[in-house]
Amino acid sequence: MSFQPTAIVGIGQTHHTPRRRDVSFPGLIREAAVRALDDAQMTWSDIDAVVLGKAPDLFEGVMKPELYMSDALGATGKPMFRVHTAGSVGGTTGIVASHHVQAGVHTRVMAVAFEKQSEGNAQFALGSGRGASLGAGGAFAPFIRSYINRSGAPEHIGWQVAVKDRQNALKNEYAHLKIADISIEKVRESPMMWEPIRYLESCPSSDGACAVIFTDEDGGNAAASDGRQPAWVLGTAVRSEPGSFPGRDAVRPQGAIDCAWDLYGQVGITNPREQIDMAELYVPFSWFEPIWLEGHDIAEVGEGWKMVDSGETEIGGAFPVNCSGGVLSSNPIGASGLLRFAEAALQVRGMAGEHQVDGANVALGQAYGANMQYFAMWIVANSLDPFG
Amino acid sequence: MRNDTDIAIVSWATTPMVRQTGNTETQLLLHAITDALEPVGLTRADVDFTCAGSCDYISGATFSFVGNLDAIGAWPPKRDSHVEMDGAWAMYEAWLRLHHGDIEIAVVTGSGRSSTANPALIYPMEMDPYYLAPLGVDPLTFAALQARALIDAGKITERDMAEVAVRSRRDAKSNPHAQVTGNFDVDKLLEEDYVRAPLRRHDLPPITDGACAVVLATARRAEQLRERPAWITGLEHRTECHNPALRELTDSPSTRIAAEAAGIGDGPIDLAELQAAFTHEELLLREVLGLDDSVPVNQSGGALAANPIMATGLVRISEAARHIVEGDKQRTLAHSTSGPCLQQNLVCILEGDS
């Protein structure tokens, strides 16, 4: 392949909360964008192009919000466009922004993704404006039940993921949900929402934004020689498949498998569990951690839950997952995918603070969307040749 | 000779453009994609990347684009993406993706069924929600403000605008997909009442259901698939400040910057397709792009003859490509726009091998 090496040199996010009544949409995204610029030691005039991502417009009731946020994004006079690939959109936003640099079209590009869910009613919007929507949990519960039946996983696996991610969130200054006394008992006793998903196994509804700045090889090397470790984008991949047809396996979607192996092939990964040091997976409901560990062939089929059970996916475990607290702790939907991708980059830059994984040289970011049918993934590393 | 990294349009198709279709958006796309692939002997299995442009608010449903995967035929799973914009920007994303060199064929779509919606009700929703949306100002009102500004500046007259309508509708007679066609008289049109002064009925686009699909290929495949591919030699887009009250409405700086960056000045433009949904927009864009009367503009009838929102810009690109592939033009320009009073603009320059 002929693409140009691409480095992440700036990352910013907001403090994620149930509602940010003190800021408008532009105010919200600008917080994340300015933090990313500060991190990259850049100003608005350094940015060549902006890619905006968010989930459905009906969430906030503003159609094509990129139009009204052009000034706040510093995009006046510049290229800017808006991607929307359902729940995977944050991931896709990062990928499309990176493609500007990889294609050699622009040198410094900003990806911004946000959701200000307090402005609307996500459950209502997910039902396309029809009342009594079952929401995302209602759509995914049957798949989760099917996963449990197939794998024979014990019920406590979901609770365990919920506790782990919430404990990780206590170490992340930007996380929304911080439940200091989180415990297996507390999750187990929380109300059943969509059987088998309990309240504390579910993601919150958050206001928040994330911004990531990409630059070319020279820019990445300049940051490195200045003592600012860049994250190199070693590969990106997306896949989509229709939401239903006879023979579709929604528990182990082919799109997930194909996306992962496209990505692994680009990076030279043959054994993801060994060669990847940590992963941020899109886990809006606890059981998606084992589902995606298997879906992306990090664990054998039917074995993902055992990685959870043995503590392997904890910070300090052999394969840490969602050290930031993940989607279970902060879920501004449109931004959630980019937050996963950004956390992977923070980890390989050694900038993840209290939730830093020791020796994180190669990290995976993943997001999925719609009826478990849209996938976006990337692998970032602290060098262009991490496997020597 | 072209470089391996060069990218061309090799095929395209549109559905019939009608006031109201009985087809779903997925069905429209099913036909458009099939009809675009067939002339170059490709099937869905040959497509490496798909990118769609559509809008939830036009469809009236959240995640409305997801169902369109059925039209794409994303099985086995495809590299696929979606922009909540006109299909012209979906083409920009596909063009970026093709630069990587690991894939060769992309299909880009734009689709919209405005007939089920009320544009006057929906379009205020794309405005700043605190200051502009509560005013309930619809696209006609914003267009009228811009037309008035152009008239007051002495740049155009109502007669100039009516002449654009008459020419567009006449030219559209040769476009089998056009919705509004025929012979009209400028003086008679000018006797009609205003819809929103200074705009009369003929200054407005029709409400249209329709879809468009465009096939892109990297150089190696493009040269196999078409004798004369339409090479994308410039593709740029720029945005401006949102609030029309803070912009110079008699100018379109984002169009000018995009066109310059796309290399408009590197040679003569033989034909242009501009996404001018209102008559005065064609006149303004012509001026900004420096297209004098010798350059044919919107021979297809343009958006005044059929305006399938979210596909209108991509249709312009396909029309500009048609003239290259069919060999009657050497260098053409297509334009797409988004937002009130031409806030955001894309310019695509296409060339044939000489």
Side-chain angles (χ1 to χ4, degrees):
Chain A
M1 278 175 275
S2 61
F3 58 77
Q4 309 294 316
T6 299
I8 293 163
V9 293
I11 294 171
Q13 61 184 298
T14 58
H15 292 96
H16 307 293
T17 64
R19 53 192 66 81
R20 283 291 302 273
R21 290 201 167 129
D22 59 322
V23 288
S24 60
F25 298 178
L28 186 75
I29 53 162
R30 210 166 160 91
E31 267 186 24
V34 166
R35 285 185 181 130
L37 287 169
D38 289 347
D39 184 15
Q41 297 188 8
M42 290 185 190
T43 66
W44 289 105
S45 59
D46 293 317
I47 301 297
D48 302 323
V50 179
V51 183
L52 179 71
K54 74 173 293 296
D57 290 355
L58 272 76
F59 278 181
E60 291 96 351
V62 178
M63 180 166 107
K64 301 191 259 176
E66 74 278 4
L67 292 168
Y68 128 74
M69 301 200 303
S70 61
D71 293 324
L73 290 166
T76 297
K78 294 179 188 175
M80 173 188 65
F81 76 112
R82 152 94 182 285
V83 298
H84 177 198
T85 59
S88 67
V89 61
T92 313
T93 307
I95 290 173
V96 173
S98 74
H99 286 179
H100 284 75
V101 180
Q102 290 180 340
V105 171
H106 290 296
T107 307
R108 290 170 302 271
V109 178
M110 181 187 280
V112 188
F114 84 102
E115 208 75 64
K116 198 164 191 298
Q117 291 189 222
S118 65
E119 303 276 341
N121 182 328
Q123 297 292 35
F124 181 78
L126 283 167
S128 287
R130 292 183 288 272
S133 165
L134 288 173
F140 296 142
F143 303 147
I144 290 173
R145 172 52 67 194
S146 182
Y147 170 78
I148 294 170
N149 289 345
R150 274 196 218 179
S151 66
E155 199 178 358
H156 70 261
I157 295 299
W159 309 336
Q160 210 167 315
V161 172
V163 170
K164 169 183 70 78
D165 283 7
R166 300 263 157 63
Q167 282 174 339
N168 289 349
L170 295 171
K171 299 177 175 175
N172 178 0
E173 65 163 313
Y174 295 104
H176 164 183
L177 270 189
K178 295 199 179 193
I179 307 173
D181 61 343
I182 190 74
S183 65
I184 293 283
E185 294 70 32
K186 208 169 163 104
V187 178
R188 186 182 66 210
E189 284 155 25
S190 68
M192 186 64 79
M193 297 291 285
W194 307 271
E195 206 285 331
I197 308 170
R198 289 181 185 276
Y199 180 71
L200 284 177
E201 293 178 274
S202 311
C203 55
S205 196
S206 313
D207 286 358
C210 180
V212 176
I213 295 171
F214 302 84
T215 189
D216 62 1
E217 187 168 15
D218 288 348
N221 287 335
S225 61
D226 190 31
R228 291 176 289 122
Q229 172 71 52
W232 296 96
V233 181
L234 298 189
T236 66
V238 298
R239 285 294 187 285
S240 305
E241 68 185 60
S244 69
F245 57 89
R248 176 173 192 247
D249 187 347
V251 178
R252 184 174 163 78
Q254 191 63 39
I257 301 166
D258 291 1
C259 189
W261 285 103
D262 178 354
L263 181 68
Y264 300 157
Q266 291 171 39
V267 181
I269 285 176
T270 51
N271 184 341
R273 189 158 167 181
E274 294 302 320
Q275 291 171 280
I276 297 169
D277 299 317
M278 68 82 62
E280 280 278 314
L281 306 177
Y282 204 92
V283 179
F285 301 98
S286 60
W287 283 93
F288 279 103
E289 178 169 309
I291 287 175
W292 296 137
L293 287 170
E294 294 176 29
H296 298 306
D297 287 334
I298 295 159
E300 299 283 323
V301 174
E303 304 280 317
W305 66 267
K306 293 178 184 171
M307 287 178 69
V308 177
D309 210 19
S310 66
E312 213 173 322
T313 59
E314 294 171 11
I315 297 176
F319 194 94
V321 175
N322 293 341
C323 305
S324 68
V327 183
L328 277 178
S329 304
S330 312
N331 189 29
I333 296 180
S336 293
L338 190 58
L339 286 164
R340 307 280 70 70
F341 280 41
E343 171 71 13
L346 282 173
Q347 288 281 347
V348 300
R349 295 172 76 197
M351 292 176 66
E354 285 183 55
H355 47 104
Q356 177 69 46
V357 172
D358 287 340
N361 300 322
V362 179
L364 169 69
Q366 177 256 17
Y368 84 96
N371 201 25
M372 297 173 70
Q373 56 185 126
Y374 282 80
F375 298 91
M377 304 174 78
W378 77 15
I379 284 178
V380 288
N382 58 2
S383 80
L384 276 168
D385 188 18
F387 307 123
Chain B
M1 278 297 288
R2 297 287 167 180
N3 294 323
D4 288 347
T5 50
D6 285 336
I7 294 155
I9 292 172
V10 293
S11 192
W12 60 88
T14 61
T15 61
M17 297 296 166
V18 295
R19 176 62 182 82
Q20 182 155 33
T21 179
N23 284 322
T24 64
E25 195 168 317
T26 308
Q27 285 174 306
L28 292 177
L29 284 168
L30 190 72
H31 293 302
I33 293 169
T34 302
D35 291 350
L37 291 171
E38 192 273 332
V40 282
L42 296 172
T43 70
R44 284 172 168 76
D46 298 312
V47 178
D48 301 312
F49 181 73
T50 54
C51 194
S54 70
C55 176
D56 278 353
Y57 263 90
I58 306 290
S59 307
T62 315
F63 295 124
S64 59
F65 61 94
V66 172
N68 293 337
L69 282 173
D70 285 341
I72 288 163
W75 189 257
K78 277 221 185 301
R79 296 175 183 88
D80 167 71
S81 191
H82 172 258
V83 300
E84 192 90 354
M85 301 187 77
D86 190 286
W89 274 269
M91 193 179 100
Y92 186 84
E93 186 181 328
W95 175 79
L96 282 178
R97 182 61 186 86
L98 284 169
H99 272 99
H100 284 66
D102 59 328
I103 62 171
E104 297 183 316
I105 306 285
V107 165
V108 178
T109 63
S111 55
R113 286 173 76 240
S114 295
S115 66
T116 50
N118 178 352
L121 201 65
I122 288 177
Y123 269 82
M125 307 296 283
E126 78 174 25
M127 306 303 295
D128 170 333
Y130 303 100
Y131 296 103
L132 295 172
L135 300 175
V137 181
D138 68 5
L140 290 191
T141 307
F142 277 118
L145 283 170
Q146 189 164 36
R148 175 63 70 202
L150 286 162
I151 291 169
D152 288 352
K155 292 194 171 206
I156 63 170
T157 65
E158 292 180 30
R159 174 167 291 274
D160 295 336
M161 290 157 61
E163 283 170 355
V164 169
V166 168
R167 196 215 68 239
S168 296
R169 292 171 176 189
R170 186 185 64 231
D171 287 352
K173 289 195 296 179
S174 60
N175 177 358
H177 295 302
Q179 185 185 343
V180 183
T181 65
N183 295 320
F184 293 85
D185 179 73
V186 169
D187 291 315
K188 281 197 176 152
L189 290 181
L190 287 171
E191 288 169 12
E192 289 181 16
D193 289 339
Y194 292 117
V195 176
R196 198 84 94 250
L199 304 179
R200 297 180 175 86
R201 185 74 196 85
H202 63 258
D203 295 308
L204 319 179
I207 292 173
T208 309
D209 287 352
C212 178
V214 167
V215 183
L216 305 182
T218 51
R220 195 175 69 80
R221 295 303 304 280
E223 285 167 343
Q224 295 167 350
L225 295 168
R226 280 284 185 196
E227 194 177 327
R228 191 178 151 83
W231 299 104
I232 300 169
T233 58
L235 183 59
E236 295 278 346
H237 62 102
R238 296 290 187 274
T239 194
E240 292 174 34
C241 154
H242 176 61
N243 192 327
L246 301 177
R247 281 193 263 145
E248 175 56 66
L249 295 184
T250 58
D251 194 5
S252 181
S254 59
T255 302
R256 183 183 302 107
I257 303 167
E260 284 169 2
I264 190 173
D266 295 347
I269 298 294
D270 302 327
L271 173 139
E273 280 279 340
L274 311 176
Q275 186 181 347
F278 298 92
T279 51
H280 68 274
E281 291 179 349
E282 178 181 312
L283 297 165
L284 172 59
L285 290 166
R286 257 183 183 279
E287 185 198 306
V288 168
L289 292 168
L291 304 174
D292 62 30
D293 289 346
S294 69
V295 181
V297 168
N298 292 345
Q299 280 193 341
S300 65
L304 290 165
N307 188 33
I309 289 169
M310 311 315 283
T312 307
L314 190 62
V315 172
R316 306 281 72 73
I317 293 172
S318 72
E319 289 292 337
R322 173 194 311 283
H323 290 277
I324 302 293
V325 171
E326 291 178 355
D328 62 302
K329 295 284 183 277
Q330 179 58 29
R331 191 163 187 263
T332 63
L333 179 150
H335 158 268
S336 182
T337 192
S338 177
C341 300
L342 304 171
Q343 183 191 340
Q344 194 170 5
N345 294 282
L346 176 145
V347 171
C348 175
I349 293 177
L350 298 165
E351 292 182 45
D353 289 318
S354 49

